[in-house]
């Protein structure tokens, strides 16, 4: 790999030696010959073939065949410079004969054993009949997984006259050249190889080659049973000892990642589909991991890197879509990410462990990725001051193991959310110390308090409620929720409040209100409203503490605050209290009998009209409060109603008058000569249009002044003459906004008439009611 360098687990040399020494059943390829009765091969529109196949029948086969394509990415192309042969689909030929089943069974058994698969586990399905004429070939390629459970390809050469056409198969640093010619009338030559092996067919030098091609699949009934490795008792014992040493060494890495030899797609990665050496090693490692009390999974390792290109490695600089860039080297890496996902357990489960990062000194065997080629590569052309960049993505299958005692740390390496989900899965499992796990999780949560993305608290609260222990629940509330509350956890908080009980719950609510009311007033009030539904007399008593604290904290919550997001874990800046929040607060105060406190809180609302706007917030809050039986006769309701009525009448007792001239209010602070001309135009009561013939940067300056100061003015650029002119035309935008505002105010006046105080308070607002009725007609 020419770019990113892996920091391998070099301290695990002995463990690596043991794994590399495991005997490996089978190989990546199988090759052989058999002399047996020939099959009866009947081809549509040609008939039954005679062996060896004559030139006349070869020509007849070509007449009904099609030019064989090849795959490039998601495309299927025909290019004789890449693949020069003919093909006939399996649906157009039939193989049988008296001796064929026994002959084919013998070939398949040899292939199964040679590839290291369990006896009887492979199915061979006919795929194509291939015809190679003299000069025919197929360039190096890899087969795609054409069928579910496909693990390899089987090719059987039928008797023909010819020479050449060797099958070359490569895997990692190994290469074999297989003679596939079969000239004897009773001879069959066969070869099989795993689907991820690169292979090619060399040009046929003389005559022709006729090949039956089969897809090799695992039997569906066998796929759920892991393949068994040979007896490796000594290796398992030695490996177990090494894993125990690693497990008990707290200075070592939390997990180990063993890179597999074969390639597997993300969809095709499964323990029962591991090939050859990978299957043998996985079986041994799983047994040792179980004895060493370690977890083991298969996963996909991803490496993404970005860097500057080495221009000496680019053969045609400047053509950013040329295939020559596929070989571009990276001169300097300036960003890289590496992680594991697509988890598969030995029991065929697929746990959702998310993306767990690869850490330094975790990867084995040493140097396994030294010559890895990227699976994907992109070249980004230089733009502006930014130079060209190369992006690469690598994917590699691996076995990942970690001690069960460190599982929580490994999960937290992905995210706290992943760790919470994992602990939730452990509840109720035999041997799991749920209490210890929950407390460790709270410790981990505190240790990542400076993360840029705050974990979701709701799943953790759900976990605590399911666990059912009030001690860690109360600890999490005081150590985490109290300082990081944002309102998203309201629904999940109620079961935890029930768990810790009314007394502790009431104290927590009071502390939470004091700490978070200034920043999260609406969410706090919504939580108190939910808590008010807890049906128990102790809760009704203790809830008063939280509501009283909210009423006391209202002045601070109403105070306008800048975005003082000082800590990276704070999810949002302070929020402004809304009408729903006000309605909730006064409804709760009424229900709890906190009448004096509620009336005092109305003074705070009146003192901050820019936050709790009396023309909008207060009428909406009163509308929500009106459903509370008896509240419309309270002093607090009267004070809020009067404040809303006074504000609406002060602003909209009369409809807004239409402008008498074209003067535009302008608060322009800039004193440049051009802005002085703009101010003069705004102050002119007659002029409606003004042209400003100035260069582009000055036109831009004028546009910003008009926009930033919300001037009642439209503008367009007139592209005639030099310089172009910015044509400014006055409009009535402010008047139209005021008319719309007045119409909304009238609507709220009518609402206030409907929401007028009742009882003894009704007489006190008689004057305001008459004024509202007159102004809202």
């Amino acid at each position: 790999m020419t770019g990113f360098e892996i920091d391998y687990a070099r301290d695990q040399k002995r463990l690596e030696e043991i794994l590399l020494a495991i005997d490996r059943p089978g190989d990546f390829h199988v090759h052989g010959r058999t002399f047996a009765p020939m099959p009866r091969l009947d081809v549509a529109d040609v008939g039954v073939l005679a062996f060896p196949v004559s030139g006349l029948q070869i020509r007849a086969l070509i007449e009904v065949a099609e030019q064989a394509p090849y795959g490039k990415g998601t495309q299927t192309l025909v290019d004789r410079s890449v693949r020069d042969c003919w093909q006939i689909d399996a649906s157009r030929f039939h193989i049988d004969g008296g001796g064929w089943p026994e002959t084919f069974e013998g070939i398949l058994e040899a292939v199964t054993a040679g590839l290291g698969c369990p006896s009887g586990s492979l199915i061979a399905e006919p795929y194509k009949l291939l015809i190679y004429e003299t000069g025919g070939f197929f360039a190096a390629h890899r087969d795609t997984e054409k069928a579910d459970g496909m693990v390899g390809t089987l090719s059987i050469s039928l008797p023909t006259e010819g020479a050449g056409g060797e099958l070359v198969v490569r895997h990692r640093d190994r290469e074999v050249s297989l003679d596939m010619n079969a000239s004897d009338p009773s001879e069959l030559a066969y070869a099989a190889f795993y689907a991820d092996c690169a292979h090619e067919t060399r040009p046929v030098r003389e005559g022709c080659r006729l090949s039956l091609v089969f897809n090799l699949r695992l039997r569906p009934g066998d796929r759920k049973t892991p393949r068994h490795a040979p007896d490796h008792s000594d290796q398992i014992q030695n490996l177990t000892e090494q894993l125990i040493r690693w497990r008990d060494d707290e200075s070592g890495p939390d997990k180990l990642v063993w890179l597999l030899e074969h390639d597997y797609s993300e969809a095709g990665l499964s323990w029962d589909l591991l090939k050859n050496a990978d299957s043998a090693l996985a079986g041994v490692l799983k047994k040792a991991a179980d004895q060493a009390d370690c977890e083991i999974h298969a996963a996909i390792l991803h490496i993404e890197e970005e860097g500057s290109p080495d221009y000496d490695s680019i053969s045609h600089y400047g053509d950013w879509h040329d295939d020559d860039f596929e070989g571009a080297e990276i001169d300097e890496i300036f960003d890289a990410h590496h992680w594991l996902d697509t988890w598969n357990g030995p029991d065929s489960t697929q746990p959702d462990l998310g993306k767990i990062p690869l850490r330094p000194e975790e990867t084995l065997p040493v140097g396994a990725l030294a010559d890895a080629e990227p699976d994907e590569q992109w070249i980004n052309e230089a733009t502006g001051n930014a130079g060209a960049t190369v992006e690469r993505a690598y994917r590699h299958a691996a076995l990942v193991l970690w001690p069960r005692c460190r599982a929580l740390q490994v999960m937290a390496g992905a995210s706290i959310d992943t760790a919470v989900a994992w602990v939730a899965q452990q509840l109720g499992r035999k041997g799991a110390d749920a209490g210890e796990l929950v407390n460790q999780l709270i410790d981990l949560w505190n240790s990542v308090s400076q993360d840029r993305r705050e974990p979701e608290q709701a799943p953790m609260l759900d976990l605590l409620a399911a666990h059912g222990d009030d001690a860690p629940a109360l600890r999490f509330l005081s150590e985490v929720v109290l300082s990081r509350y944002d309102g998203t956890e309201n629904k999940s908080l109620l079961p935890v409040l029930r768990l810790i009980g009314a007394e502790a719950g009431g104290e927590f609510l009071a502390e939470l209100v004091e700490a978070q009311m200034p920043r999260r007033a609406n969410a706090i009030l919504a939580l108190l409203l939910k808590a008010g539904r807890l049906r128990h007399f102790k809760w009704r008593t203790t809830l008063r503490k939280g509501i009283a604290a909210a009423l006391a904290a209202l002045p601070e919550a109403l105070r306008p605050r800048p975005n003082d997001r000082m800590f990276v874990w704070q999810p949002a800046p302070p929020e402004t209290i809304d009408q729903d929040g006000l309605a909730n607060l006064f409804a709760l105060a009424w229900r709890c009998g906190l009448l004096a406190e509620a009336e005092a809180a109305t003074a705070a609302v009146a003192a901050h009209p820019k936050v709790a706007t009396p023309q909008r917030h207060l009428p909406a809050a009163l509308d929500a409060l009106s459903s509370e039986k008896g509240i419309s006769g309270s002093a607090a309701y009267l004070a809020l109603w009067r404040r809303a009525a006074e504000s609406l009448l002060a602003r909209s007792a009369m409809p807004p008058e239409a402008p008498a001239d074209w003067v535009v209010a302008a608060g322009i602070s800039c004193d440049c000569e051009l802005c002085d001309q703009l101010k003069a135009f705004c102050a002119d009561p007659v002029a409606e249009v003004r042209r400003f013939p100035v260069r582009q940067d000055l036109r831009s300056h004028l546009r910003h002044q008009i926009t930033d100061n919300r001037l009642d003015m439209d503008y367009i650029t007139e592209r005639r003459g030099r310089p172009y002119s910015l044509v400014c035309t006055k409009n009535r935008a402010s008047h139209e906004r005021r008319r719309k505002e007045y119409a909304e105010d009238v609507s709220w006046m009518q609402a206030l008439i409907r929401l007028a105080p009742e009882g003894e308070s009704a007489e006190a607002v008689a004057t305001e009611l008459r004024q509202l009725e007159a102004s809202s007609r």
Side-chain angles (χ1 to χ4, degrees), residues 485-550:
Y485 172 84
D486 65 6
T488 59
E489 58 275 82
N490 276 1
K491 182 178 179 181
S492 298
L493 266 171
L494 293 183
V496 178
L497 291 176
R498 291 192 189 98
L499 176 64
I500 65 175
E503 183 176 353
E507 293 178 1
F508 167 74
L509 285 175
E511 293 177 1
L512 183 67
V513 169
E514 183 180 357
Q516 295 294 341
M517 182 76 174
R519 296 183 58 84
R520 302 283 175 262
N522 296 317
I524 287 289
L525 295 169
L527 174 62
L528 292 174
L529 193 66
K530 288 179 180 292
R533 300 192 184 107
L534 295 173
R535 302 295 184 183
H536 195 285
F537 75 92
K538 288 185 178 180
W539 274 108
R540 289 196 296 272
T541 301
T542 57
L543 187 61
R544 295 181 85 252
K545 296 180 181 179
I547 298 169

Side-chain angles (χ1 to χ4, degrees), residues 668 670-684 690-694 702 713:
I668 302 173
C670 180
D671 293 327
C672 72
E673 181 180 351
L674 190 59
C675 283
D676 286 343
Q677 295 176 27
L678 181 60
K679 293 174 190 176
F681 173 52
C682 290
D684 192 324
R690 172 73 184 269
R691 284 175 170 77
F692 293 88
V694 292
L702 280 176
M713 202 174 292

Side-chain angles (χ1 to χ4, degrees), residues 407-425:
L408 188 59
Q409 287 85 345
V410 173
M411 298 304 112
S415 68
I416 287 293
D417 298 327
T418 299
V420 171
W422 181 82
V423 173
Q425 294 172 4

Side-chain angles (χ1 to χ4, degrees), residues 518-519 556 559-566 570 572-576:
R519 296 183 58 84
E556 179 67 15
R559 183 172 63 85
R561 294 166 63 88
N563 182 352
D564 58 350
R565 192 175 180 182
M566 298 175 62
Q570 292 176 346
E575 61 187 13
T576 301

Side-chain angles (χ1 to χ4, degrees), residues 79-94:
D79 186 346
R80 296 185 65 179
S81 68
V82 176
R83 186 182 191 187
D84 187 7
C85 75
W86 301 90
Q87 69 177 27
I88 298 175
D89 190 81
S91 61
R92 302 190 64 239
F93 62 83
H94 180 69

Side-chain angles (χ1 to χ4, degrees), residues 37 54 137 162 180 280 292 711 776:
S54 66
F137 72 99
M180 295 298 291
L711 302 184
S776 61

